[in-house]
Amino acid sequence: MIGLVDIEYNTGGPTGRVKNDVTMIEFTLQIVDETQNYKEIDLLDVVVKPPIR
């Protein structure tokens, strides 16, 4: 089994122009079986709502 991690960030704030504003917006962990053509075994997908300012 292999675990694949995908972390997505929103950079630049809501306008895209704010410096040093990095917020995690999504975290995904997928467990696959590489011996069975990477068949998905389990999936954890969490969407994180960025703070409103």
Side-chain angles (χ1 to χ4, degrees):
M1 286 189 277
I2 294 178
L4 306 171
V5 175
D6 177 33
I7 301 173
E8 296 184 21
Y9 289 92
N10 180 16
T11 57
T15 64
R17 298 188 176 136
V18 179
K19 292 183 179 179
N20 299 324
D21 183 12
V22 179
T23 305
M24 183 173 72
I25 58 173
E26 184 175 5
F27 176 85
T28 304
L29 172 62
Q30 183 179 28
I31 307 297
V32 297
D33 187 350
E34 74 278 6
T35 63
Q36 294 185 13
N37 202 20
Y38 294 92
K39 178 182 175 186
E40 183 180 286
I41 296 171
D42 202 1
L43 178 69
L44 170 67
D45 187 31
V46 178
V47 177
V48 180
K49 183 177 181 182
I52 298 174
R53 296 180 187 179

